[in-house]
């Protein structure tokens, strides 16, 4: 069973190539660890549906997945598979009465931090729009 | 293979409302192959239910286990111990597994996690089609191996109805008219004459209309 | 070989070109729809297919509709599908159809349920159409059921048909499938709708190649397209239907699409009948049966062969029609006879009615005459009585005259007669002119007697005048010529003057009684008993004076009594008491008037100071109101108490200096409301009180925005005097004020009315209710009875009454009988509510018997109606009120409260004694109505029910009360809700006086305590009356007076 520790408000799953720089940058530009937590995967193709659902269960109000643009994935189709899983997760969220927009797949250029920051800001904005679904 | 699909989450959450500890029990048989009730699916189902519970603010907790098969007594035996401390077991086996647990494990409240849909084949990754109705009296030798009982909307025995157009079924144009295909197949096989034979009225007792079916092999009985 | 012998089979086997039609049963149980459709087809088709829930939409069953068609003379082709029935049901149906004469059966698999209106249903499909054909043929030819069991008799004889679709795929297999159907048992085949004739031709060629055209009769399916839209729909949406572009084009180019549709059908018929193997046509005009005759006619097929083999078993139409025709003929023959008999009966009736009228007219006349005789007798008796009464009076007067005469003669008169006093005028002088008093009494009674006599005897003025003059003459003679001639010159004036104030002669002026005593004592022949009577009389009068605290008069009167009988103990005691009382009254030597009785707990000094302050205040009020005389009087009174009081001196000076004001409103209201403690600067008080009262008055004409504007007190037009208060009344009527506005715009009359309910007995009985308009909407209807006010009397000394209320009853609290009497005599209560709080099991819990006895005493002690109000405990009240009504018997006391818990017992009691009741419910329209209904069901008349819907005082839920009462009243008046058409009783006093506002002491913020309570009670009462309240139970005398003024102001 996954442990009950609180995760940040926004959780990001990034592949090795998109997250390496971004994590530090985020901290540098003043995003608190409580606001964002980045989980680094070797490739977003490795993304587990359960990992995203559990992130929500453990306190995340929104989750983004940042993978490589199609064609530039080191593992050829890793980010494509991740995108399909995100669609499946969206369906599950909808079934549970949670806004499917709380999870999103972002295809970002490798090694740049701005697109990841933008992804975070987008998701933080969505939380503002939807409000929190976790009961206090 | 038995094909099944996950029940809507809201329906499952409805079943377990008011309970506290739930065991989600997978099966590595048919349902694992058709990606509806194996290890992977059980984990996802448990995560989804957990999230549903979090959203509802309930304190439900979920355990996850998977058995090799839920339709054999020897694989089911550990369940009696496993289920201790749980309010209910959600089985993601086909209906057979759920029934078998209900039959064999007194004291365990078993709930279905799947809808068991049909006997089908895996056309390609993520697609399954019905091929057999389990009617108990196979006529496939007369129809070029294609089943009119399972695959014709009206279960016709004597050729395509007047709604067959361009090889498609009138019920759903995505579905092939099985009688059209039987016609073509038998013609190809040089057995077109069979199409002139009148198939007699079917005896439906073997299809379950004669009561629940069973099969005995004397020599294998213990 | 003939299979079934149906008309269709006969025609086909004879080689004639057959025409079949189609009849779609309705989606209802409408018999007539089927009949209509059958009538259209009759004569144009050899048989008509009756569809079996076509396209899987639920419709009337094929068998049933087929039977109806048969009754209209149309041979049905029953259709049977495999979708809805298993082999058991199908065989059963077929047996039934055969039994009823159906001879054609078309065997189909049936459209899939997905296309119908129940796509959720389970499709049966126990077999397919080919297996169905085989099963029925086996039943017919082998006389065996599908299972093989033998059909022992009457096997179904049916001409079996099947469908064929030449346009479905695989095309080359279609003739083979037809062959299967033929070999399974089909004798005829109806094809799918043909538009593509070429393709059909090819199909038929293949059919002929298989030799089927010799084994089966093929009927080509034809449908006229009703419109271009229908053609397109069939082309695109119906699988297995081949609508050619040519057909679409023909319809597109057509002026009249329907006409073109018929032409298309005719053309197709003409084409297909030339094709080898076609034995007939099947015309399917879907929901357009009317087209069939036209198509058949134009195709030259309208000469249908005579029906043969058509044998309906049930209700053949023609037979029924024959029977009807026969019956009609028969009735035509009988009609004149019936008419003749009818006329005879009518004539006989008319004679009977006339005769009856005559008889009843005669008996009415007899009744009338009887009544007249009775009335005459009665009035004669009455007149006789009156005459004898008057005679007696006359003789008494005469004897009194005699007595006076005798007294005059004996010279025992103890008063000096002043001759000149009567010389000038004989007009009564209440101050007691020494001569007139005695004569006055005599003359007064004489004149009154005469007047009555005149009325009773019906004398005219002249006759009366004559008698009066005779009497006066007699009077002059008998008084020994003491009367001057001038007296007789003004007798009429005398009579009038005396008549107008007859009561005051003896009763009100204590001084008078003395004189009368003097007069009477020596006059009556010195007889002992007469003297005794006089003494008793005097003592009584003296006691009255004592009670009024007029000790001086009392003393004098006692002394008069002692003058007659010095030994009378009561008079002696009375005189003593009077003297003592006089001694205790704070009475400054200089004062020319007496202060009211001083309560024991106040010292004489305090008392006179209080009154000094009060008089100065009164003076100031009068001064500010411009009432000079009153101001002067008040200040003088103040100075009489303390001649050095500066304020009084200054006030008097101002008052005397003041010009007599044009306006001199009565100021009692302000005075009365002023409590002792109010300081001299009481001007704002008056203004405040007035402004508090004023808005209520204006509530009545609050019809337009203009009137809602506050109007200055002094500018209000005609004041209406109501007791001590003045309420401004609108000088102009509503109609005048409405100007040119038509009355129907602001007048909304009600259709219902409130039942009048009477409580109490005799003259003092009170009737409330009876209005047919909203409260005080006198411009819309009538209020037959004004709201009435009852005073609350408690059976024990109340513990929670504030002194500001209790002080008005301080002398009687604890003595319910005296309390009730005081309420009636001093505070003019129109009814008494006797609240028996001591019976409460949660309180004193006094036994019902004891409480009832006290209540009985109260009921007996007053002549106004009494409402006996229980303690609110349902059980105890039942016991208590039963006990009480046992004591009071038929007296019309009103019993209260009846609740849903005890209405049965008490309702029965009320019904037995015919006494009114109060139905009490907790502030809810429906509960109130329900209790009324329950009481009525019990037998209690609605006109003896008063509703108590529970009251909230102002600030304590008044608006809730108001709204509930208003809704009830509106339901009663505008919706004729009879069960709510009963008057309201509002027990508001107890609600008001338990509020904390009535108990908080006077303070700068909250103002004077007593005035606060009075206003709360008065405002509550006024509001409830505006909501429809008819009988108000109140407590404070001053609030009662305000409420009365309010009523008078609005009525």
């Amino acid at each position: 069973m996954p442990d009950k520790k609180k995760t940040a408000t926004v959780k990001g799953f990034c592949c090795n190539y998109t997250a390496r720089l971004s994590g530090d940058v985020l901290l540098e530009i003043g995003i608190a660890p409580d606001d964002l937590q980045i989980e680094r995967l070797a490739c977003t193709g490795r993304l587990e549906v359960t990992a995203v659902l559990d992130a929500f269960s453990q306190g995340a109000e929104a989750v983004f997945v940042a993978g490589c643009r199609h064609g530039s994935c080191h593992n050829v189709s890793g980010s494509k598979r991740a995108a399909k899983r995100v669609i499946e997760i969206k369906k599950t969220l909808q079934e549970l009465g949670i806004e499917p927009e709380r999870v999103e797949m972002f295809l970002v250029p490798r090694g740049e931090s701005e697109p990841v920051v933008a992804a975070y800001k987008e998701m933080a904005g969505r939380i503002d729009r939807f409000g929190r679904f976790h009961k206090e | 293979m038995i094909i099944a699909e996950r029940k809507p989450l809201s329906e499952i959450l409805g079943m377990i409302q008011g309970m506290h500890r739930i065991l989600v029990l997978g099966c590595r048989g048919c349902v694992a192959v058709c990606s509806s009730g194996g290890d992977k699916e059980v984990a996802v189902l448990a995560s989804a239910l957990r999230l549903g519970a979090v959203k509802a603010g309930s304190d439900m907790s979920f355990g996850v286990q998977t058995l090799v098969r839920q339709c054999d007594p020897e694989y089911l035996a550990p369940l009696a111990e496993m289920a201790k401390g749980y309010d209910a077991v959600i089985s993601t086996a086909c209906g057979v597994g759920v029934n078998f647990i209900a039959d064999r494990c007194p004291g365990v409240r078993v709930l279905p996690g799947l809808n068991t849909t049909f006997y089908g084949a895996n056309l390609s990754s993520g697609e399954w089609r019905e091929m057999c109705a389990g009617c108990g009296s196979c006529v496939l030798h007369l129809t070029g191996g294609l089943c009119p009982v399972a695959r014709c909307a009206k279960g016709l025995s004597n050729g395509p109805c007047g709604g067959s157009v361009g090889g498609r079924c009138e019920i759903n144009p995505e579905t092939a008219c099985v009688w059209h295909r039987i016609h073509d197949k038998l013609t190809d096989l040089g057995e077109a004459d069979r199409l002139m034979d009148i198939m007699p009225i079917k005896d439906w007792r073997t299809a379950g209309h004669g009561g629940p079916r069973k099969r005995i092999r004397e020599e294998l009985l213990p | 070989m003939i299979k079934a012998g149906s008309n269709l089979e006969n025609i086909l086997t004879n080689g004639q070109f057959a025409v079949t039609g189609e009849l779609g049963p309705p989606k209802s149980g409408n018999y007539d729809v089927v009949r209509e459709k059958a009538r259209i087809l009759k004569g144009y088709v050899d048989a008509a297919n009756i569809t079996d829930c076509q396209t899987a939409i639920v419709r009337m069953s094929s068998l049933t509709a087929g039977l109806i068609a048969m009754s209209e003379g149309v041979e049905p082709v029953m259709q049977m599908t495999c979708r809805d029935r298993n082999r058991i049901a199908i065989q059963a149906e077929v047996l039934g159809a055969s039994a009823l004469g159906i001879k054609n059966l078309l065997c189909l698999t049936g459209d899939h349920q997905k296309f119908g209106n129940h796509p959720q249903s389970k499709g049966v499909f126990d077999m397919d159409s080919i297996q169905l054909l085989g099963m029925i043929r086996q039943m017919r030819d082998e006389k065996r059921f599908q299972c093989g069991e033998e059909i022992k008799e009457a096997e179904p004889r049916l001409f079996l048909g099947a469908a064929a679709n030449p346009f479905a795929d695989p095309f080359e297999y279609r003739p083979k499938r037809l062959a299967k159907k033929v070999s399974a048992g089909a004798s005829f085949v109806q094809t799918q709708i043909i538009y593509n004739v070429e393709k059909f031709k090819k199909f038929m060629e293949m059919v002929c190649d298989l030799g089927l055209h010799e084994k089966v009769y093929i009927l080509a399916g034809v449908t006229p397209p009703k419109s271009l839209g229908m053609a397109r729909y069939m082309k695109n949406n119906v699988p297995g239907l081949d609508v050619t572009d040519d057909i679409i084009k023909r319809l597109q180019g057509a002026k009249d699409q329907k006409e073109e549709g018929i032409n298309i059908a005719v053309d197709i018929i003409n084409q297909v009948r030339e094709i080898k193997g076609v034995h007939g046509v099947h015309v399917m005009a879907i929901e357009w049966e009317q087209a069939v005759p036209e198509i058949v006619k134009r195709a030259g097929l309208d000469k249908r062969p005579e029906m043969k083999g058509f044998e309906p078993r049930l209700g053949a139409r023609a037979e029924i029609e024959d029977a009807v025709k026969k019956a009609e003929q028969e009735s035509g023959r009988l009609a004149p006879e019936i008419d003749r008999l009818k006329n005879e009966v009518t004539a006989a009736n008319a004679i009977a009615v006339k005769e009856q009228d005559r008889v009843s007219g005669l008996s009415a006349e007899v009744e009338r005459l009887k009544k007249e005789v009775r009335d005459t007798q009665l009035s004669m008796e009455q007149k006789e009585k009156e005459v004898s009464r008057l005679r007696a009076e006359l003789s008494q007067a005469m004897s009194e005259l005699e007595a006076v005469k005798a007294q005059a003669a004996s010279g025992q008169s103890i008063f000096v007669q002043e001759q000149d006093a009567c010389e000038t005028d004989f007009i009564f002088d209440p101050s007691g002119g020494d001569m007139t008093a005695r004569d006055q009494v005599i003359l007064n009674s004489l004149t009154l007697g005469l007047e009555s006599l005149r009325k009773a005897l019906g004398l005219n003025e002249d006759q009366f005048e004559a008698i009066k003059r005779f009497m006066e003459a007699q009077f002059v003679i008998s008084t020994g010529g003491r009367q001057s001639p001038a007296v007789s010159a003004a007798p009429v004036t005398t009579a009038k003057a005396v008549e107008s104030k007859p009561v005051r002669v003896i009763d009100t002026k204590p001084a008078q009684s003395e004189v009368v005593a003097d007069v009477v004592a020596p006059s009556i022949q010195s007889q002992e008993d007469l003297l005794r009577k006089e003494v008793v009389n005097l003592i009584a009068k003296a006691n009255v004076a004592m009670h009024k605290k007029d000790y001086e008069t009392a003393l004098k009167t006692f002394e008069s009594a002692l003058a007659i009988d010095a030994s009378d103990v009561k008079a002696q005691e009375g005189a003593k008491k009077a003297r003592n009382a006089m001694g205790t009254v704070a009475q400054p030597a200089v004062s020319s008037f007496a202060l009211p009785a001083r309560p024991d707990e106040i010292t004489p000094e305090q008392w006179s100071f209080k009154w000094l302050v009060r008089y100065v205040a009164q003076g100031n009020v009068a001064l500010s109101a411009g009432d000079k005389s009153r101001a002067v009087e008040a200040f003088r009174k103040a100075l009489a108490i303390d001649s050095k009081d500066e304020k009084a001196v200054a006030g008097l000076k101002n008052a005397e200096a003041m010009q007599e004001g044009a306006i001199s409103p009565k100021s009692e209201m302000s005075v009365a409301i002023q409590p002792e403690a109010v300081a001299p600067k009481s001007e704002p008080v008056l203004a405040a009180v007035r402004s508090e009262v004023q808005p209520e008055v204006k509530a009545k004409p609050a019809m337009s925005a203009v009137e809602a504007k506050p109007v200055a007190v002094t500018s209000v037009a005609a004041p209406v005097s109501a007791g001590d208060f003045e309420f401004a009344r609108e000088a102009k009527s509503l109609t005048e004020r409405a100007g040119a506005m038509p009355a129907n715009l602001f007048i909304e009359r009600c259709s219902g009315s409130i039942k009048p309910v009477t409580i109490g007995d005799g003259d003092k009985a009170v009737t409330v209710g009876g209005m047919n308009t909203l409260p005080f909407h006198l411009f819309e209807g009538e209020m037959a009875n004004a709201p009435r006010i009852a005073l609350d009397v408690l059976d024990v000394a109340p513990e929670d009454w504030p002194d500001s209320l209790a002080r008005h009853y301080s002398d009687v609290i604890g003595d319910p009988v005296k309390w009730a009497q005081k309420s009636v005599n001093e505070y003019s209560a129109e009814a008494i509510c006797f609240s028996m709080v001591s019976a409460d099991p949660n309180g004193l819990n006094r036994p019902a018997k004891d409480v009832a006895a006290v209540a009985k005493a109260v009921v007996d002690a007053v002549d106004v109606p009494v409402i006996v109000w229980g303690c609110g405990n349902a059980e105890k009240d039942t016991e208590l009120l039963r006990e009480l009504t046992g004591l009071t018997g038929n007296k019309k006391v009103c019993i209260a409260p009846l609740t849903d818990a005890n209405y049965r017992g008490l309702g029965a009691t009320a019904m037995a004694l015919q006494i009114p009741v109060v139905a009490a419910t907790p502030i809810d329209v429906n509960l109130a109505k329900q209790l009324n209904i329950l009481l009525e069901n019990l037998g209690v008349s609605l006109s003896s029910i008063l509703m108590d819907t529970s009251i909230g005082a102002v600030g304590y839920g008044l608006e809730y009360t108001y709204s509930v009462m208003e809704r009830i009243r509106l339901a009663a008046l505008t919706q004729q809700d009879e069960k709510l058409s009963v008057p309201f009783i509002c027990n508001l006093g107890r609600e008001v006086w338990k509020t904390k506002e009535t108990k908080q002491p006077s303070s700068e913020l909250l103002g004077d305590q007593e005035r606060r309570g009075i206003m709360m009670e008065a405002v509550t009462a006024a509001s409830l009356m505006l909501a429809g309240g008819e009988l108000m139970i109140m407590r404070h005398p001053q609030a009662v007076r305000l409420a009365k003024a309010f009523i008078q102001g609005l009525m």
Side-chain angles (χ1 to χ4, degrees), chain A residues 35-48:
Chain A
D35 295 337
L36 174 65
Q37 193 182 33
I38 297 278
E39 187 163 330
R40 193 181 297 174
L41 304 167
C43 170
T44 48
R46 187 76 180 78
L47 180 75
E48 292 285 353

Side-chain angles (χ1 to χ4, degrees), chain B residues 153-154 156-166 170-171 180 183 195-202 204, chain C residues 87 109-110 112 114-115 125-126 128 130-131 146 165 168-170 172-174 176-177 179-180 183 239-240:
Chain B
K154 298 178 186 173
L156 296 184
S157 306
N158 288 288
C161 73
S164 170
V165 177
E170 65 171 357
I171 301 293
H180 194 115
H183 173 266
L195 289 166
M196 292 305 289
D197 296 335
I198 292 177
M199 208 183 279
I201 297 181
K202 202 171 170 69
W204 292 104
Chain C
R87 62 197 78 181
T109 302
H112 195 273
K114 189 204 161 177
F115 298 110
F125 301 114
D126 190 9
D128 63 19
I130 292 168
Q131 292 160 336
Q146 190 274 329
N165 187 355
D169 292 325
E172 62 279 14
Y173 179 64
R174 289 294 150 185
K176 290 181 189 167
R177 187 163 148 85
K180 279 175 94 167
S183 68

Side-chain angles (χ1 to χ4, degrees), chain C residues 552 581-595 604 608:
Chain C
E552 210 175 334
M582 281 172 78
T584 58
V585 172
Q587 195 180 13
V590 287
S591 79
S592 58
F593 65 99
L595 287 180
S608 49

Side-chain angles (χ1 to χ4, degrees), chain C residues 272-579:
Chain C
V272 296
R273 66 192 295 185
E274 301 303 322
I275 296 170
K276 190 183 168 193
V278 173
H279 299 83
V281 286
H282 177 51
V283 184
M284 296 166 272
I286 299 156
E287 289 301 313
W288 192 21
E289 282 79 2
Q290 295 83 344
V292 174
E294 191 59 31
I295 293 166
V296 174
K297 269 188 239 166
R298 291 198 201 172
L301 294 167
D302 53 329
K303 296 263 173 346
R304 299 316 310 151
E306 203 186 326
M307 298 262 280
K308 200 176 151 191
F310 176 59
E311 296 169 324
R313 304 270 164 86
L314 284 183
R317 197 73 210 154
E319 283 168 31
I320 294 169
E321 274 165 8
D322 277 355
V324 169
K325 209 174 279 173
K326 256 185 216 162
E328 274 170 1
Q329 281 169 1
E330 188 70 359
S331 72
R333 195 176 61 72
L334 290 172
E337 181 69 2
I338 291 168
D339 282 347
R340 194 181 59 73
L341 289 171
K342 256 189 206 161
N343 288 339
E344 268 176 30
V345 170
T346 317
N349 272 346
I351 290 168
V353 167
K354 225 180 267 173
E355 205 58 16
Q356 213 170 359
D357 282 354
R358 203 171 62 80
V359 171
S360 63
L362 279 177
S363 51
E365 181 67 8
V366 169
E367 275 307 307
R368 196 184 60 74
L369 288 173
K370 270 188 195 163
K371 189 168 180 291
E372 220 166 82
V373 169
R374 254 197 324 269
D375 287 352
T376 315
Q377 274 172 350
L378 274 175
S379 78
M380 276 174 70
E381 275 168 30
Q382 215 158 3
K383 278 189 181 154
E384 265 169 35
K385 264 188 205 158
E386 186 69 5
V387 167
S388 59
R389 190 182 62 76
L390 287 168
R391 269 194 198 130
E393 258 176 42
L394 200 56
S395 69
Q396 169 141 15
M398 290 300 280
S399 68
E400 273 176 29
L401 266 175
E402 283 302 318
V404 173
K405 220 172 7 179
Q407 177 208 340
S410 64
Q412 280 179 358
S413 173
I414 61 160
F415 58 89
V416 182
Q417 299 180 7
E418 290 292 338
Q419 188 72 25
D420 50 4
C422 4
E423 266 175 13
T424 47
D425 205 341
F426 195 64
I427 292 171
F428 170 65
D429 177 9
S431 63
D434 32 14
M435 110 66 204
T436 46
R438 186 193 59 168
D439 296 347
Q440 203 76 59
V441 174
I442 297 159
L443 195 60
N444 183 25
S445 62
L446 270 175
T447 319
L448 280 176
L450 278 172
E451 186 61 32
S452 316
L453 192 62
R454 185 179 79 79
K455 278 186 194 149
L457 299 176
L459 297 177
N460 62 30
E461 288 294 332
D462 290 344
Q463 291 166 318
F464 179 53
E465 193 68 16
I467 291 177
K468 200 150 69 176
R469 278 179 196 285
F470 164 76
M471 288 300 301
E472 280 157 11
Q474 188 75 24
F475 183 76
V476 171
I477 294 163
S478 53
T479 49
R482 192 159 52 79
Q483 190 75 39
S484 82
V487 173
S488 56
V492 181
T493 333
T494 310
K496 271 188 191 156
V498 173
E499 220 175 355
S500 64
K501 291 182 174 179
V503 191
R504 303 187 69 182
V505 172
I506 294 172
D507 283 358
T508 52
K509 289 289 173 182
Q512 201 69 26
S513 58
E514 187 187 4
V515 176
V516 173
D518 287 347
V519 171
V520 177
S523 65
I524 312 300
Q525 300 166 3
S526 304
Q527 283 176 8
E528 276 287 316
D529 52 344
L530 284 174
L531 283 172
R532 185 70 225 142
K533 218 186 236 175
E534 193 49 42
V535 170
V536 171
N537 196 18
L538 281 169
I539 292 171
K541 280 183 208 306
N543 282 336
V544 169
M546 279 291 280
H547 185 69
K548 289 181 181 168
K549 306 203 163 70
D550 186 351
Y551 304 117
E552 210 175 334
T553 308
L555 181 59
K556 270 189 192 167
T557 315
F558 281 128
E559 277 166 354
S560 302
L562 288 170
I564 298 169
D565 183 358
S567 64
D568 190 274
V569 183
K570 278 185 189 162
Q572 284 169 347
E573 278 178 10
K576 207 164 150 189
K577 268 189 197 165
R579 272 189 208 100

